Amino acid sequence: MNAYRMSAGIGTLFGLVLALSPPATASAQSEGGTVRGKVVDAAGNAPVGGAQVFVEGTVIGTLTGTGGAYSLENVPAGEQIVAVRLIGYRELRQSVTVVANRTAVLDFTLEQTAPRIQDIVVTGVVEPTPQIKLPFTVERLSARASAVQVLHAHPGFNTESYARIEENDFRLVSASPLSTFSIDVDRASYANVRRFIQSGERPPVDAVRIEEMINYFPYEWDDVSGDHPFAVETEVWDAPWKPEHRLVRVGLRAPAVETAHLPPGNLVFLLDVSGSMASPDKLPLLRKAFALLVEQLRPNDRVAIVVYAGAAGLVLPSTAGNRRGKILEAIERIEAGGSTAGGAGIALAYEVARKHFIEGGNNRVILATDGDFNVGASSDGEMVRLIEKERESGIFLTVLGFGTGNLQDSKMEQIADHGNGNFHYVDGLLEAKKVLVEEMGGTLLTVAKDVKLQIEFNPARVAAYRLIGYENRLLDDEDFNDDTKDAGELGAGHTVTALYEVVPVGLPLPRGGVDPLRYQPTADPPDADAVPASAFEDELLYVKVRYKDPDGSQSKLLAHAVPGRSDSPSGGFRFAAAVAGFGMLLRDSPHAGRYTLDDVVGLAEEGKGADPRGYRGEFIRLVETVRDLDLLGAEATDGGQR
């Protein structure tokens, strides 16, 4: 199946727009036939890939593969006009007679047109050699545009981008007794950091999001029971890198759900098939990753596949999950080529998901991309606004990042955060298996949305605190009770850990204090019902969590106090602290003090536990690799561009 719906014009960047046509009727589609053929270049009879082929007056279209072949299915019977468009060629239209349940063959021979200078966008300069980004493959343009000199990119050219992170500093309880933030179940940062280290490179400082590294690992806690879909647990221990400080662990855990017990899924695979996805660590890996997910589908699940390059299209209508052969065939037939109209793809994917919405089901778009959007809506702000509008439909989002060299980490993270979703980076088939098979419930099933935490510190016990990580998840204190504020989603089987480093009262403050305040809010006359501060002497802090049901609009509240005494830490706590310490060292954090990689390894070994899947053992080997290769001695760029 290779037919798709046109939702945006090819090459918005170059002024060509295809209007969205009204949907074809179901009866017409069911009585249709098939049109197949090949598109070749008139100059050398070479196949032309990435061309748009569509039936005029309908929403049926496709992209040619690298061999120039195309197939249009469910074309209404009768006389039809089929058109072909591609930048650099004259548009060609031919008529064909379509007979129901029969196949018509229609080939096209395209003539080249002179390329315009505005069709070429300069995106970077490396040393004296200009690097040119094109809306189609270098080989195809150079073959037909002898007037334009095309230079291959310098092998060191890299446009990966990461949002700048300003590490959380200590805050004085006397001035800021509340700490409020949204949970984060993304795990992309750890897999991306692993990719750099395994390549013998130090990760960029801003690629290191400590909370995502901590939450990459599963942690064993007590079973969840009660009226809420998750449990809240806390632990207090000495901070490994500064033992006179306390380390507080606040954890959320949702019970896992077996695949057989998941609600029916209405999934839309949104696949980036632009030219930037052609490398082996992108589209070929993507095909294998989604094949793993397809093998987990059940008859009551449904899958549609939307692709986007210069425009967006539906290559597989919503199909029952037990028709695995048909789904896999559609995935295998996609090829990479062209520019990247990500906004058009997102809009079409949500349209398809809404059309097949399952009440009480798992309605989700799964976007797989390197994040390199360059046609239509492409800026971070534009993409966020588009996603925020679409999330109101009750459809959740999973973003899977692929590839190296032009990974747009910051854009994909923002899309996931603002789209009621989660973000993962897939650096290999084992990671794909972890995300899409082993953790399928957490990746695809949301049990609580807009989950926010607010911690109130007891000034009688705590002088200062700092939240480790979550820098881009901080909220205003007033946002905690505001149900209109978006926050993170918790999936089935997810565990979320937040760590606070706490300075007990009586110890020197890690930063200069402020002058005593002249004006302090007081109750006058005193509140007769106020509980005296002495009643809370044993409490270190008070934890509050707000969340909504996946289909709810009003939040629910959990709350409990945390005693100030230190307990013997669990293995999970020790391991989470080791990961946090490693992240601090990778970020050159001043709070790491004299903590070393050897300290990280020792603490991680203590917390390794049974480790049935080997994730914790792999972490220890990564730390040892950084130590043995002296990667911390290598300069890491600040700000993300490497």
Side-chain angles (χ1 to χ4, degrees):
M1 181 70 68
N2 204 29
Y4 73 98
R5 298 185 59 189
M6 308 296 294
S7 73
I10 182 171
T12 303
L13 199 58
F14 316 111
L16 297 178
V17 178
L18 264 176
L20 177 63
S21 304
T25 63
S27 60
Q29 290 180 346
S30 63
E31 298 174 359
T34 299
V35 179
R36 292 180 179 172
K38 190 173 183 179
V39 179
V40 299
D41 187 313
N45 206 37
V48 176
Q52 286 196 350
V53 186
F54 58 96
V55 180
E56 290 192 345
T58 75
V59 293
I60 300 171
T62 190
L63 300 175
T64 58
T66 54
Y70 74 90
S71 177
L72 302 172
E73 301 189 18
N74 293 325
V75 179
E79 198 73 15
Q80 301 291 348
I81 300 296
V82 179
V84 179
R85 287 179 181 172
L86 182 64
I87 297 294
Y89 289 98
R90 289 190 178 87
E91 180 177 337
L92 186 60
R93 302 160 70 247
Q94 295 190 79
S95 64
V96 62
T97 300
V98 179
V99 179
N101 302 315
R102 300 287 296 275
T103 298
V105 177
L106 187 65
D107 295 329
F108 290 84
T109 301
L110 299 185
E111 295 182 356
Q112 302 169 14
T113 59
R116 298 171 298 166
I117 190 65
Q118 59 263 38
D119 287 350
I120 300 175
V121 180
V122 177
T123 60
V125 175
V126 177
E127 297 171 351
T129 305
Q131 307 306 317
I132 299 178
K133 187 169 187 176
L134 306 169
F136 21 68
T137 64
V138 169
E139 290 76 16
R140 189 188 310 143
L141 179 61
S142 59
R144 68 173 188 262
S146 57
V148 178
Q149 182 182 11
V150 179
L151 301 174
H152 289 276
H154 188 281
F157 190 60
N158 193 321
T159 60
E160 293 194 13
S161 69
Y162 301 91
R164 184 176 179 84
I165 297 175
E166 294 288 348
E167 185 180 22
N168 291 328
D169 208 339
F170 281 96
R171 307 188 71 178
L172 302 180
V173 174
S174 58
S176 303
L178 295 176
S179 173
T180 308
F181 66 99
S182 162
I183 69 162
D184 188 357
V185 298
D186 296 345
R187 283 90 179 272
S189 180
Y190 178 80
N192 193 29
V193 164
R194 177 178 62 199
R195 183 251 303 188
F196 279 101
I197 294 172
Q198 290 178 338
S199 299
E201 299 180 66
R202 181 176 180 176
V205 168
D206 292 322
V208 181
R209 294 188 289 273
I210 296 178
E211 72 280 4
E212 294 186 22
M213 295 179 65
I214 294 171
N215 290 324
Y216 180 87
F217 301 93
Y219 298 96
E220 295 299 327
W221 286 340
D222 294 335
D223 291 337
V224 177
S225 60
D227 298 331
H228 301 284
F230 58 89
V232 181
E233 298 188 9
T234 55
E235 290 184 87
V236 180
W237 186 38
D238 299 337
W241 44 86
K242 201 171 184 65
E244 61 269 31
H245 290 180
R246 298 289 177 265
L247 190 64
V248 180
R249 178 195 193 194
V250 180
L252 277 61
R253 177 178 180 268
V257 177
E258 296 293 333
T259 301
H261 299 144
L262 291 173
N266 164 35
L267 307 178
V268 179
F269 298 168
L270 175 56
L271 310 181
D272 182 350
V273 296
S274 62
S276 67
M277 292 290 290
S279 61
D281 59 349
K282 295 184 181 180
L283 189 57
L285 176 58
L286 182 156
R287 290 194 191 101
K288 295 176 182 177
F290 277 84
L292 292 175
L293 176 55
V294 170
E295 292 300 325
Q296 309 302 310
L297 298 176
R298 305 157 301 172
N300 60 344
D301 296 321
R302 300 195 67 82
V303 170
I305 301 177
V306 171
V307 300
Y308 64 91
L314 182 69
V315 300
L316 180 73
S318 187
T319 300
N322 59 346
R323 302 190 67 183
R324 295 190 182 97
K326 184 176 182 180
I327 300 171
L328 291 172
E329 180 187 7
I331 293 173
E332 284 300 318
R333 291 179 65 177
I334 59 176
E335 300 286 348
S339 51
T340 317
I346 290 171
L348 179 57
Y350 275 92
E351 176 189 340
V352 173
R354 287 193 301 269
K355 180 179 179 181
H356 300 279
F357 192 89
I358 299 175
E359 291 293 340
N362 176 21
N363 299 279
R364 182 173 295 268
V365 171
I366 305 176
L367 167 61
T369 178
D370 58 14
D372 191 12
F373 306 146
N374 54 32
V375 173
S378 59
S379 72
D380 288 1
E382 288 178 303
M383 298 303 294
V384 166
R385 284 189 289 272
L386 174 61
I387 287 294
E388 286 180 333
K389 177 182 176 182
E390 296 289 358
R391 77 175 181 221
E392 301 304 323
S393 60
I395 297 165
F396 293 86
L397 176 68
T398 291
V399 179
L400 304 178
F402 288 82
T404 63
N406 67 331
L407 184 71
Q408 304 300 298
D409 175 272
S410 57
K411 191 184 300 292
M412 289 187 284
E413 184 195 17
Q414 286 202 52
I415 290 173
D417 289 351
H418 290 269
N420 282 349
N422 46 64
F423 172 35
H424 304 264
Y425 175 73
V426 180
D427 60 341
L429 204 55
L430 289 178
E431 183 66 15
K433 182 180 178 183
K434 179 179 186 290
V435 173
L436 297 175
V437 179
E438 295 173 1
E439 300 175 356
M440 181 178 177
T443 302
L444 302 182
L445 177 62
T446 297
V447 298
K449 68 178 182 181
D450 292 338
V451 184
K452 297 175 279 189
L453 281 83
Q454 186 168 78
I455 314 298
E456 180 182 356
F457 292 90
N458 183 356
R461 301 293 304 274
V462 180
Y465 65 89
R466 73 178 184 95
L467 175 61
I468 300 176
Y470 293 93
E471 285 86 359
N472 58 3
R473 292 286 190 154
L474 300 179
L475 299 172
D476 293 334
D477 294 337
E478 295 80 5
D479 292 341
F480 183 72
N481 292 323
D482 186 348
D483 284 353
T484 66
K485 295 295 183 180
D486 181 57
E489 281 61 51
L490 187 67
H494 272 162
T495 57
V496 176
T497 292
L499 298 178
Y500 280 93
E501 184 176 351
V502 170
V503 182
V505 167
L507 291 182
L509 294 175
R511 56 182 299 191
V514 297
D515 292 337
L517 300 179
R518 179 180 180 87
Y519 304 104
Q520 286 283 357
T522 59
D524 188 16
D527 186 352
D529 297 326
V531 180
S534 59
F536 308 118
E537 286 183 353
D538 188 49
E539 294 182 8
L540 189 70
L541 52 90
Y542 192 62
V543 177
K544 296 185 292 184
V545 182
R546 281 199 177 276
Y547 73 95
K548 299 173 189 170
D549 292 327
D551 56 354
S553 58
Q554 186 172 357
S555 66
K556 301 177 181 180
L557 176 67
L558 290 81
H560 75 268
V562 178
R565 60 184 178 275
S566 297
D567 298 321
S568 177
S570 66
F573 194 179
R574 291 178 186 271
F575 189 82
V579 178
F582 182 50
M584 290 160 58
L585 291 173
L586 289 177
R587 290 193 52 79
D588 283 332
S589 170
H591 302 297
R594 297 186 178 183
Y595 206 59
T596 68
L597 293 171
D598 284 335
D599 295 329
V600 172
V601 170
L603 188 57
E605 290 280 8
E606 294 176 11
K608 181 180 177 182
D611 194 26
R613 293 187 174 92
Y615 299 141
R616 296 185 183 186
E618 178 194 60
F619 169 79
I620 293 170
R621 290 190 293 274
L622 279 182
V623 179
E624 291 173 337
T625 299
V626 172
R627 180 194 62 193
D628 297 344
L629 296 181
D630 193 25
L631 294 185
L632 290 187
E635 183 178 355
T637 57
D638 189 22
Q641 296 257 349
R642 305 185 78 254

